[in-house]
Amino acid sequence: MRNTQLEAAHTQTLSANSGRDDLGQILGRLSHDLKAPVRAIDELASWIEEEFEEGDSTSSTAIAEYIKLLKSRSNRLATLVNSLSVFARVGLSERPFEGKWDDLLEQVSARLPLLNDFEIMTDFQATPSIAQQDLVVLFEVLLSNATKHHPSGHGSLQLSSRVDGSICILAFQDDGLGIAADRLGQAIEMFGTLERQDLVEGNGMGLSIANRIANHYRGGLSIHHSDVMTGCEIRVWFPTERPM
């Protein structure tokens, strides 16, 4: 039944060709996304300055709120810069992954506290021929997406790997709300977010980073969704032989 459901799933695929970086488009989107938090930080600093000058009875409350917003916008900006740094570092590490899945999941879990509220089921039958650090980042961004967008904040995740012909396929299955078929394109766009940032903090870089990793190793990424399935499954595949 599961195979039948997957056959019927709506699929959005990013190939190595379609995933090539368009530097002009990236820089354009980046400049747009950086303007908002920078402008907000500047405005908040001005408001705090004005409150200090007025010094009325409501100043302390207003200043406390502005400082809270200032920290939030600063954190958002720092997260975006960090994501861009991760995006840029894909492929720089040469240490290969040696198939130590438990160690990898332990490392990822240490960075993602939300994973403690999820049951993780694994079935790793194959080892991808990619760098250890890139695989850690791949798991981190995809599991981060699955946990922070889950409606209940706890659930289950199924992680697996297998060989199919000349490729190694990694699958990440969650039991969340999934992604509507007509929004798959938006989900895979760089800086594309499906929910407002005041509801779920994010910058839309997760799937872009995952796709960049897949493309670097001449692989690809796809999102599978069906009306008869709960959640969605993201598959990332790589050639079984690492490119030279």
Side-chain angles (χ1 to χ4, degrees):
M1 181 63 178
R2 178 178 173 79
N3 290 337
T4 302
Q5 291 173 341
L6 287 175
E7 289 292 334
H10 300 289
T11 305
Q12 178 70 41
T13 302
L14 293 178
S15 66
N17 289 332
S18 66
R20 289 176 181 163
D21 296 340
D22 181 337
L23 183 58
Q25 182 179 14
I26 291 174
L27 291 176
R29 290 297 303 272
L30 175 59
S31 64
H32 177 272
D33 279 44
L34 286 176
K35 285 179 182 177
V38 170
R39 183 170 58 249
I41 290 172
D42 181 65
E43 290 179 349
L44 286 166
S46 297
W47 295 345
I48 292 172
E49 185 178 46
E50 291 174 3
E51 291 295 337
F52 272 118
E53 290 176 353
E54 292 178 2
D56 57 31
S57 59
T58 62
S59 290
S60 59
T61 301
I63 289 173
E65 183 63 26
Y66 293 156
I67 290 176
K68 181 180 178 181
L69 289 172
L70 185 61
K71 289 181 177 179
S72 173
R73 298 303 183 270
S74 297
N75 289 337
R76 185 175 297 175
L77 183 58
T79 299
L80 177 57
V81 171
N82 181 67
S83 294
L84 289 167
S85 178
V86 171
F87 187 90
R89 291 198 304 268
V90 169
L92 295 183
S93 174
E94 296 183 356
R95 178 188 172 193
F97 176 60
E98 298 177 347
K100 298 179 180 179
W101 292 105
D102 289 342
D103 290 348
L104 181 143
L105 289 177
E106 183 177 349
Q107 185 176 351
V108 173
S109 296
R111 301 183 184 184
L112 301 176
L114 287 177
L115 276 181
N116 294 327
D117 297 322
F118 285 76
E119 178 184 9
I120 301 177
M121 294 164 282
T122 62
D123 182 20
F124 296 123
Q125 301 179 14
T127 300
S129 183
I130 74 171
Q132 164 89 16
Q133 182 57 33
D134 287 336
L135 191 60
V136 169
V137 170
L138 179 70
F139 270 69
E140 184 175 349
V141 296
L142 293 181
L143 294 182
S144 175
N145 273 0
T147 54
K148 73 183 179 183
H149 292 290
H150 198 285
S152 65
H154 58 85
S156 63
L157 301 167
Q158 298 180 40
L159 314 177
S160 64
S161 67
R162 61 185 174 87
V163 170
D164 185 357
S166 61
I167 61 175
C168 176
I169 302 174
L170 301 178
F172 301 77
Q173 171 76 53
D174 66 56
D175 62 350
L177 294 176
I179 303 172
D182 61 354
R183 304 191 72 187
L184 290 177
Q186 181 181 350
I188 60 179
E189 290 179 357
M190 178 174 279
F191 308 119
T193 57
L194 300 182
E195 298 181 76
R196 300 197 318 269
Q197 285 190 320
D198 57 339
L199 297 177
V200 177
E201 195 67 36
N203 53 41
M205 288 287 292
L207 287 179
S208 295
I209 292 172
N211 183 60
R212 180 173 172 83
I213 293 171
N215 289 170
H216 177 77
Y217 294 95
R218 300 179 186 176
L221 179 151
S222 61
I223 304 174
H224 298 254
H225 171 80
S226 171
D227 292 337
V228 297
M229 290 175 61
T230 299
C232 70
E233 181 179 55
I234 295 179
R235 298 178 193 168
V236 186
W237 64 89
F238 308 95
T240 52
E241 295 294 331
R242 184 171 180 177
M244 300 299 292

